[in-house]
């Protein structure tokens, strides 16, 4: 058994293209010691993956990824060791799902005005039960031949600076961190190198942020090292994962291919214990 882990994977429960079963199979083939399926605004893959991994040596750590707008930035927050049955969490995720649906309608509206005659039904057929995300819209645009590729859909229409972009709403960064904590989890800033707003990190630490995702497929070695160092400086843990979405962009090959050690899991567990102790200590 290797000590390698992948703590950032998406499944068909959000915008990934592998089912939870396929994610577990792939992780077993690659002899990973632990994985976390961190679906966008969804925890439904967790128990399924844990069941698939039962009687194997693969550990499936509960996780999720929340997206929100903060100071003009598209901030992604990972939550680890959350309780996927937490009523407060499930209620919030249900609310986010409804926000995502309404945002989808706004995106479609903008696309229609731009001459792309896409319909909500087409997009929802692709999303299925998953909370609606831009990748589902992009897939629909490729299928209906409004663009030649998934990437083109983001570059011309759906990306942050593109004309059909609609920001997420519904939750602030502070509320998202609290939600993860109240669900028993540890809050980690996803791919800070992609966000590229390091000046926001001290304030996030004040809000209770627990960690930085130092290793990510977009981060080069130097970037990863910088975030490990920054995590140490702020007393945070660091984590890492591939952000594999299955075949759509970078493919299945990405799963487990960003080298991350099991030490990250141990550090997350320690942090979770510390948070628990802190919350019962009278102030
Ligand atoms: P949403 O949650 O609807 O805002 O969509 C965010 C997801 O879209 C990310 O998790 C990625 O999977 C994908 N994504 C965001 N920006 C891009 C981009 N520029 N190119 C390709 N995929 C992207
Ligand atoms: Fe995604
Ligand atoms: Fe992300
Ligand atoms: Zn992700």
């Amino acid at each position: 058994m290797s000590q390698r882990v992948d703590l950032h994977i998406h499944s068909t429960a959000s915008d990934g293209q592998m089912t939870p079963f396929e994610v577990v199979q792939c992780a077993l083939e690659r002899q990973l010691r632990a994985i976390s399926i961190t679906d966008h605004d969804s925890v439904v893959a967790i128990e399924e993956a844990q069941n698939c991994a039962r009687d194997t040596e693969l550990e499936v750590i509960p996780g999720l990824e929340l997206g929100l707008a903060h100071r003009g930035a598209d901030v992604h927050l990972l939550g680890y060791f959350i309780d996927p049955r937490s009523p407060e969490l499930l209620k919030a995720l249900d609310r986010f799902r409804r926000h995502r649906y309404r945002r989808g309608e706004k995106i479609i509206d903008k696309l229609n005005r731009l001459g792309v005659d896409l319909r909500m039904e087409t997009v929802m057929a692709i999303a299925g039960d998953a909370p609606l995300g831009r990748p589902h819209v992009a897939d629909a645009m490729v299928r209906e031949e409004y663009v030649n590729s998934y990437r083109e859909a983001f570059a011309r229409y759906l990306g942050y600076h593109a004309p059909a972009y609609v920001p997420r709403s519904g939750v602030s960064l502070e509320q998202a961190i609290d939600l993860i904590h109240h669900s028993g989890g540890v809050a980690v800033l996803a791919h800070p190198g992609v966000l590229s707003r390091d000046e926001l990190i001290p304030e996030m630490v004040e809000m209770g942020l627990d960690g930085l995702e130092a290793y990510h497929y977009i981060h080069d070695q130097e970037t990863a090292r910088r975030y490990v160092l920054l995590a140490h400086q702020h007393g945070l843990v660091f984590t890492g994962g591939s952000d594999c979405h299955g075949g759509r962009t970078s493919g299945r090959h990405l799963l487990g291919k960003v080298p991350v050690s099991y030490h990250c899991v141990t550090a997350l567990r320690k942090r979770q214990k510390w948070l628990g102790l802190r919350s019962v200590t009278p102030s």
Side-chain angles (χ1 to χ4, degrees):
M1 168 73 30
S2 79
Q3 292 301 307
R4 280 183 307 121
V5 305
D6 188 336
L7 303 180
H8 192 156
I9 304 167
H10 295 273
S11 80
T12 44
S14 66
D15 59 359
Q17 292 189 321
M18 292 158 84
T19 63
F21 172 79
E22 288 167 335
V23 168
V24 168
Q25 290 310 309
C26 186
L28 286 169
E29 275 166 34
R30 289 172 190 182
Q31 302 190 311
L32 301 186
R33 176 153 175 209
I35 55 166
S36 187
I37 299 184
T38 50
D39 277 314
H40 300 286
D41 296 353
S42 169
V43 291
V44 304
I46 297 170
E47 288 188 24
E48 192 179 336
Q50 284 175 332
N51 287 335
C52 295
R54 188 170 297 149
D55 301 324
T56 74
E57 289 192 77
L58 178 71
E59 205 178 315
V60 177
I61 290 153
L64 92 171
E65 185 173 20
L66 302 176
L68 51 101
H70 176 72
R71 299 205 188 282
D74 185 10
V75 172
H76 293 190
L77 198 63
L78 296 159
Y80 292 110
F81 290 110
I82 38 107
D83 171 7
R85 295 189 178 186
S86 151
E88 185 186 349
L89 179 64
L90 293 175
K91 205 169 131 205
L93 294 182
D94 197 51
R95 197 159 53 81
F96 300 163
R97 172 187 288 267
R98 279 180 272 126
H99 272 290
R100 278 181 170 277
Y101 186 86
R102 284 202 292 277
R103 172 191 183 229
E105 289 179 323
K106 286 184 196 158
I107 293 175
I108 298 291
D109 210 45
K110 282 194 168 185
L111 286 172
N112 291 165
R113 281 168 215 260
L114 291 163
V116 177
D117 194 20
L118 201 66
R119 297 169 63 97
M120 196 65 177
E121 296 86 75
T122 315
V123 178
M124 287 315 290
I126 289 173
D129 290 333
L132 181 58
R134 284 178 287 158
H136 304 122
V137 182
D139 282 349
M141 292 176 77
V142 175
R143 192 174 295 182
E144 303 272 299
E145 298 183 352
Y146 287 109
V147 288
N148 292 316
S149 70
Y150 176 80
R151 282 186 191 288
E152 189 189 336
F154 272 90
R156 285 181 55 195
Y157 297 102
L158 305 170
Y160 194 59
H161 297 290
Y165 180 78
V166 179
R168 294 284 311 285
S169 64
V171 70
S172 70
L173 178 59
E174 199 157 17
Q175 285 166 339
I177 293 174
D178 287 349
L179 178 64
I180 290 170
H181 286 164
H182 290 156
S183 318
V186 178
V188 174
L189 179 64
H191 40 70
V194 178
L195 178 65
S196 207
R197 295 283 300 272
D198 287 2
E199 77 280 9
L200 299 177
I201 291 175
E203 181 195 33
M204 294 182 184
V205 176
E206 288 288 309
M207 289 180 185
L209 185 74
D210 300 295
L212 300 177
E213 184 179 48
Y215 301 99
H216 182 272
Y217 91 100
I218 305 239
H219 293 176
D220 58 22
Q221 271 195 3
E222 146 114 40
T223 307
R225 229 175 285 138
R226 184 154 55 88
Y227 288 114
V228 168
L229 195 71
L230 211 57
H232 282 310
Q233 284 169 351
H234 288 288
L236 304 178
V237 300
F238 61 87
T239 67
S242 65
D243 210 350
C244 177
H245 280 70
R248 192 183 276 117
T249 42
S250 30
R252 181 180 188 269
H253 67 267
L254 208 57
L255 199 150
K257 292 301 163 83
V258 174
V260 183
S261 143
Y262 191 79
H263 290 302
C264 291
V265 175
T266 311
L268 280 170
R269 238 193 216 106
K270 251 170 109 176
R271 185 82 182 190
Q272 190 204 23
K273 279 215 180 92
W274 177 77
L275 285 170
L277 287 173
R278 209 186 48 162
S279 66
V280 294
T281 308
S283 54

